[in-house]
Amino acid sequence: QVQLVESGGGLVQPGGSLRLSCAASGSIFSTSGVTWNRQAPGKQREWVATITSGGSTNYADSVKGRFTISRDNAKNTVYLQMSSLKPEDTAVYYCNTWPIPTINWGQGTQVTVSS
């Protein structure tokens, strides 16, 4: 079973930046796309960004132009660079494989944007 571990979250002021990392057991990322998703308190989990195995990317309108998803297959890691953060970006961020998600989501990493 693939295990996903997210890291890099924290507390940041509005307008600040963070880089999240998603590491997977094995070499699943070399042949699989990856999505980043987030869940804010009291809300459903929502999709944020996708990177395909070929490196194509797609973003939710709410983060387009501010977030960048990238991958390092050698490190079996996918990143989410977040800039110009807003309070509404506050959420637990999760990664998963794409197009077929793994059943077991990781623990996620908390991002809090607040002054």
Side-chain angles (χ1 to χ4, degrees), residues 13 29 32 39 47 79:
Q13 293 186 341
F29 285 172
S32 174
Q39 186 166 20
W47 168 74
Y79 304 100

Side-chain angles (χ1 to χ4, degrees), residues 26-89:
S27 59
I28 184 70
F29 285 172
S30 63
T31 58
S32 174
V34 176
T35 62
W36 277 101
N37 310 268
R38 66 187 182 186
Q39 186 166 20
K43 296 187 177 181
Q44 289 190 332
R45 187 175 294 166
E46 65 173 357
W47 168 74
V48 173
T50 299
I51 186 165
T52 69
S53 57
S56 298
T57 59
N58 197 15
Y59 300 92
D61 287 343
S62 60
V63 306
K64 199 171 293 183
R66 300 188 297 121
F67 290 11
T68 302
I69 188 171
S70 62
R71 63 193 301 155
D72 185 336
N73 288 342
K75 295 183 178 180
N76 214 34
T77 301
V78 170
Y79 304 100
L80 186 68
Q81 178 68 48
M82 306 186 297
S83 302
S84 302
L85 283 162
K86 305 175 181 180
E88 50 264 45
D89 294 318

